[in-house]
Amino acid sequence: MKLLDKKTEEKIESIISSLTLEQKIGQMNQSVAWAGTEEQYKERIRRGEVGTFIVGVPAYTGDRSAEHERRRFLNSLQKTAIEESPCGIPLLFGADVIHGYDLVYPIPLATAAAFDRDLTEKVYRNIAVECARDGLNWTFAPVLDLPHDPRWGRCVEDGGEDPYLNGQTGAAAVRGFQGDLGNASLIACCKHYIGYGAMEGGRDYHNSDISDYYMDNYYAPSFKMALDAGALTVMSSFNSVAGEPVTASKKLLRDLLKKRMDFEGFVISDYDAVKQLETQGVAADKRECARIAAEGGVDMEMVDTCYPKYLADLVRSGELDEEVINEAVRRVLRVKFAANLFENPYKEDYEIDKAEHAADALRVCSENVVLLKNNGVLPLSKDEQVFMAGPYLNEKHSHVGAWAGHYDVQTIPSFREAAESYLGEGGKVQFGGSPFGDFEVESMENCKAVVLFLGETLFSTGEAVSVDDLTLPEDQIALIHRMKKKGVPLVGVICCGRPRALGNVIDLFDAVIYGWHNGSYAAPAMMRVLYGDANPCGHLPMTLPRVTGQIPVYYNALSPARDVNEYYGRATSYYGTTAAPLYPFGYGLSYTAFEYSAPECDKTEISLSDLEKGKKLRIKVTVKNTGERDGKTVAQCYVRDLVGSMMRPVRQLVGYEKKNIRRGRTTSFTFDIGKEQLGFFGSDRTFRVEKGEFEIYVGECATTTNKITIKVI
Ligand code: GLC
């Protein structure tokens, strides 16, 4: 996809030809903007030694003068670059603005659970608007890792286990972040390319052994969708794939990303990932690290200084072709032109519609929580006595999740504070004492339900933090058992970042809502859901395992040779327990109910040649809201290729749409099925559709049996 016109490309070539070798390498060098003085930075900028700074995300002060100062500081560095550096090349200022800035939105995995492209785009548009006026022009997001192991702490940062949902969520985030690439925009950075979610044991920085087949059909598609949405940069990942560190892999960076995915932007390494090539045992020293990362296809080095120290010497000694440098600089300049930084290099202040942003945050938090179980105890009534307790009743910090940064924890309401404000003076609610304290049922006269707020600390999620046990903490399990003995309906609100294994407690609850690490508005939104002002409509973006020992367990697995159940492989894989997860990908209940008609199709056959011409089959279902209240359903469309030249997944998500349906009313959904939905990358790595029968499923989760069979002839 051509980023720039011919004229701009020619400008780039003339800049490259007028830079010295060291000045070119300066464009490949990212420095930290937290270890020096403004004048020291300016000196380096004047000498053309640095093309970008990584800027820490500051603690929130609420004091606009501090934020004005950040903009002044960054604009001042930019002015030096424009007016005093070689060729006046603008700087990039990057930071980890992953899922919030002034306001913390849900962790990305939780936003994916909303299954709503437009809402997702608006959330990330808001984040860019909140952040860009402080001077930043680049964010190291969205995360497109495909996690198959919820023990891994960074599964919370991405769009979940399915390539399509992951890619759609990432593409929406790219559109949101980049917007019109004007003043209130951030350049997006798709990370961590690639296979970071497949590391053995869910252990960070480790190895992923991924076949070409899985790379093409599972791990690459989400990056392709985000790049097709216009993402301008990519970050290479710490892990290795099939014996090669990604940060030195020509196969992954030059062949798969830049050639086959037609990526014209630039690749930045992850923090210190270039010098880590020595630790990974493919480079004898830092000089060698610089050579193989540059040759591998890393165009810009994040802070570890191997490039500025060694690249010029490698070129002059003939060990590195200068065209490698030219190509890297070409890509960096291409992004700076595409982001309009030459025309509009400075950030200006502007007003933010905070009420609108708050409303958006409340909405996404009301529409991404997943109702896992409900025997009718929910929604609660304001007229009935409720008891609220648990270790997360007063929690504030963990709502923000991993990689938040610029927030004031005092502005984040706890569940108790949200309940008090929601129910008002004299509200029919009592609160449990100490997190695990006991209390007598007598103190809960006429209590209609006990709501336990449980979960995991945000510090057990994020980078380099995996867990070896997905069950809830022992003290929380003991509390659940104690509360069950009170003989009052028990509601669980589970505030975790990653999927947890609830198999050992699920039967003790009358209702369970998965509340995620949902950001600043987690608690107010949860009150709206608990009391029915919002009808839950979140759906699982990752399979919820029954026990830790099932991992990896994901819905779009290949069919096993025996004992195939409807999904996830064999029905009896483990002695004494089932292979089936607790809840499947795409699962989520509502306070109402939806009836799906059998899928219909104008015709059930289509020829390969018609598919090649772009023709499609249109699958239609009608859905009736058979319950007593309005609600949103997420119609999900899955494909199964029954016989292929390679094994195909037992289900593959190819479409989804969320719609509100008034009670008693009916609406229809259509899904167009063509080459893109039916095809796959074969063993020769070409994309193709093969003749034969396909089952097309449409329903509310991956295990729907509502299907129609079509044939490619
Ligand atoms: C970290 C993370 C990456 C982040 C970068 C800069 O190690 O892996 O996601 O963007 O360093 O902070």
Side-chain angles (χ1 to χ4, degrees), residues 54 68 72 93 102 164 187 297 309 329 399 425 427 446 469 696:
I54 178 172
H68 287 312
R72 181 213 60 77
F93 299 114
D102 282 351
Y164 183 71
I187 297 166
K309 279 183 188 148
V329 176
H399 291 308
E425 276 301 307
N446 309 320
D469 181 352
I696 312 292

Side-chain angles (χ1 to χ4, degrees), residues 29 79 98 186 300 411 452 547:
N29 177 33
K79 190 167 183 298
I98 310 300
L186 297 174
M300 184 185 282
T411 63
L452 281 185
V547 293

